[in-house]
Amino acid sequence: MATLDLSDYNPPFDLSRAETMPARWYTEPGFLELEAEKIFYKTWQPVGRVEDVMRAGDYFSCEVLDQPLVVTRNIAGDLRAFYNVCPHRAAVVAHGRGNRKSLQCKYHGWTYDLNGRLLRAPEFEGVKNWDAQAVCLQPIAVEAWGPWVFVNLDPAAAPMATIYGDIADEIAAAGFNLSQMRLVERRDYLIECNWKVYVDNYLEGYHLPIAHPGLFKEVDYDQYRVDTYRYYSKQHAPIRELDPGEARDRRYVRSGEGEADALYYWIFPNVMLNVYLDNTSINIIIPVGQDKTLTIFEWYFEAPGTGEGWESMQQIIAFSDEIQQEDIELCEWVQRGLRSKAYETGRFSVLRENGVHHFQSLVREFLTQA
Ligand code: FES
Ligand SMILES: [Fe+2]
């Protein structure tokens, strides 16, 4: 890996003195390679749904950036995950998803059990210095969390609970039931910007008054705030009190009077969780190039077909789509601006951009880790 100069960014903890991340961190191609290694291969990444690996023998293929992976439910009923690459000559072992007692490489037919161990390698007698017993798909850490399967490519990964534990407790304490949620809708958006531009934008409400006028009308902007924790942050966006006689634009409001407040989490580096009473959405932000980002939006319901949330599901999705289109335009403008010869770095609003400062500090911290 080429060595990158990272000396031009080390933001102080004090936001009022910090500068924003330099433009070249968003535009130079070498950063994505380093971020893959230091960030995406070191953090828990959602790769699929528990629903797809419920029964013994279920499997699905997936990836973390350019790394092909496979998740299985073995015969004993345990969740397992491996690099989806055959130790013979590197073909992919599992394609798509299905249910099998073994996985067979489609190239020369080597077969593996659901614990990754080699069962059969045809016509391989006489090979020296080679131990069939030792051949195995390389395992990786995997955990079920809510309706999702997460993996972590770091062999020294701490369990998910060390980062997601407090979030899980809070969600449960607020009366939401994540593990019962079922996927009902997915939308993918490909955006012409660096992934960090999209995350920066998600982490502040500063742009609400100008960029999201529809949403701004419904939110109590004075109360809007972002609380930061070690590896995640949480946004508070309470709904504005109505003036007497004023009607609510229901498109923008999910919870009715007396319902629990929604919870909005961002978990470093690229997962956003929006938790409402009877539904939850996850946004997964995936870099596909230095200036190309895939954002996957999925909506889950606890009891699809019932309840107030379900009634307004199409409205919820249409509203989210409207906000997303506004955000996409902003992010694409920003990416063009970051390439400008006239821009190097900026400053943060102390009142409104602490979440962005927190994220950018984490990126710097991870990239400079040994
Ligand atoms: S590459 Fe898998 S069997 Fe040859
Ligand atoms: Fe936005």
Side-chain angles (χ1 to χ4, degrees):
M1 198 184 309
T3 45
L4 273 175
D5 179 10
L6 301 174
S7 65
D8 57 348
Y9 196 51
N10 188 7
F13 183 73
D14 179 359
L15 159 75
S16 69
R17 297 176 190 283
E19 294 196 329
T20 62
M21 182 171 274
R24 55 177 286 267
W25 290 49
Y26 297 86
T27 58
E28 277 184 27
F31 275 88
L32 187 51
E33 201 185 330
L34 191 67
E35 287 162 351
E37 210 56 59
K38 302 275 190 177
I39 296 177
F40 288 88
Y41 303 161
K42 298 256 185 242
T43 49
W44 286 97
Q45 292 291 321
V47 291
R49 289 187 303 282
V50 178
E51 204 176 20
D52 290 336
V53 277
M54 289 295 277
R55 298 168 307 149
D58 283 351
Y59 73 90
F60 64 79
S61 63
C62 54
E63 60 269 320
V64 169
L65 303 191
D66 60 348
Q67 297 297 308
L69 311 170
V70 57
V71 173
T72 70
R73 176 80 64 184
N74 70 12
I75 303 303
D78 305 318
L79 208 50
R80 306 295 310 268
F82 309 93
Y83 284 95
N84 188 4
V85 54
C86 183
H88 176 225
R89 278 183 34 228
V92 162
V93 174
H95 298 262
R97 64 189 177 97
N99 185 282
R100 299 179 52 119
K101 290 199 173 58
S102 62
L103 300 172
Q104 184 177 42
C105 179
K106 286 206 169 65
Y107 201 175
H108 314 95
W110 286 24
T111 309
Y112 303 87
D113 70 15
L114 299 171
N115 294 313
R117 212 156 303 131
L118 181 67
L119 292 173
R120 214 170 70 84
E123 300 182 83
F124 230 62
E125 299 79 12
V127 177
K128 305 274 191 326
N129 308 324
W130 181 77
D131 178 9
Q133 307 286 322
V135 176
C136 194
L137 301 177
Q138 199 173 310
I140 53 177
V142 61
E143 287 193 36
W145 194 85
W148 300 287
V149 174
F150 281 74
V151 300
N152 193 323
L153 302 191
D154 183 356
M160 253 191 107
T162 53
I163 287 152
Y164 281 75
D166 291 346
I167 298 173
D169 292 347
E170 258 178 39
I171 291 173
F176 305 120
N177 193 350
L178 262 196
S179 53
Q180 292 307 310
M181 296 278 174
R182 292 271 172 281
L183 177 72
V184 296
E185 174 93 20
R186 166 175 167 155
R187 292 203 181 179
D188 290 8
Y189 303 86
L190 196 59
I191 308 176
E192 303 285 325
C193 73
N194 183 267
W195 71 277
K196 300 188 293 300
V197 170
Y198 188 87
V199 174
D200 287 343
N201 175 73
Y202 179 88
L203 289 175
E204 45 93 351
Y206 192 28
H207 68 283
L208 247 63
I210 304 295
H212 301 304
L215 177 59
F216 177 64
K217 276 199 309 224
E218 302 300 329
V219 165
D220 185 348
Y221 185 67
D222 290 337
Q223 300 298 316
Y224 194 109
R225 65 170 211 276
V226 181
D227 293 338
T228 62
Y229 302 85
R230 183 67 178 94
Y231 295 113
Y232 66 92
S233 60
K234 197 175 152 186
Q235 308 198 24
H236 297 262
I239 299 306
R240 190 171 58 83
E241 295 290 329
L242 289 182
D243 295 332
E246 191 187 14
R248 184 75 84 196
D249 184 342
R250 292 294 299 176
R251 283 180 309 152
Y252 296 104
V253 179
R254 278 296 311 115
S255 60
E257 264 51 60
E259 282 185 20
D261 275 341
L263 300 171
Y264 305 94
Y265 295 97
W266 163 79
I267 305 105
F268 180 80
N270 64 330
V271 176
M272 295 136 187
L273 266 186
N274 314 299
V275 186
Y276 307 94
L277 195 58
D278 59 356
N279 72 90
T280 289
S281 66
I282 189 170
N283 314 336
I284 307 168
I285 313 309
I286 300 173
V288 291
Q290 189 65 29
D291 53 9
K292 219 180 268 303
T293 296
L294 175 65
T295 66
I296 301 173
F297 282 38
E298 289 183 341
W299 286 267
Y300 291 75
F301 276 75
E302 183 168 344
T306 64
E308 212 188 326
W310 183 259
E311 294 274 295
S312 56
M313 183 180 86
Q314 292 311 322
Q315 282 186 344
I316 296 170
I317 293 169
F319 161 57
S320 166
D321 190 81
E322 175 187 321
I323 302 291
Q324 175 71 344
Q325 296 306 338
E326 290 167 353
D327 282 325
I328 288 173
E329 194 177 24
L330 301 171
C331 290
E332 295 188 341
W333 286 344
V334 167
Q335 187 68 28
R336 284 196 291 273
L338 290 168
R339 284 195 292 257
S340 163
K341 293 196 290 188
Y343 185 89
E344 265 174 41
T345 183
R347 297 297 301 266
F348 294 111
S349 158
V350 176
L351 289 178
R352 298 286 180 189
E353 291 177 292
N354 62 313
V356 184
H357 170 253
H358 172 245
F359 165 57
Q360 297 188 355
S361 303
L362 279 169
V363 169
R364 196 263 171 199
E365 176 187 330
F366 273 65
L367 291 191
T368 54
Q369 248 155 32

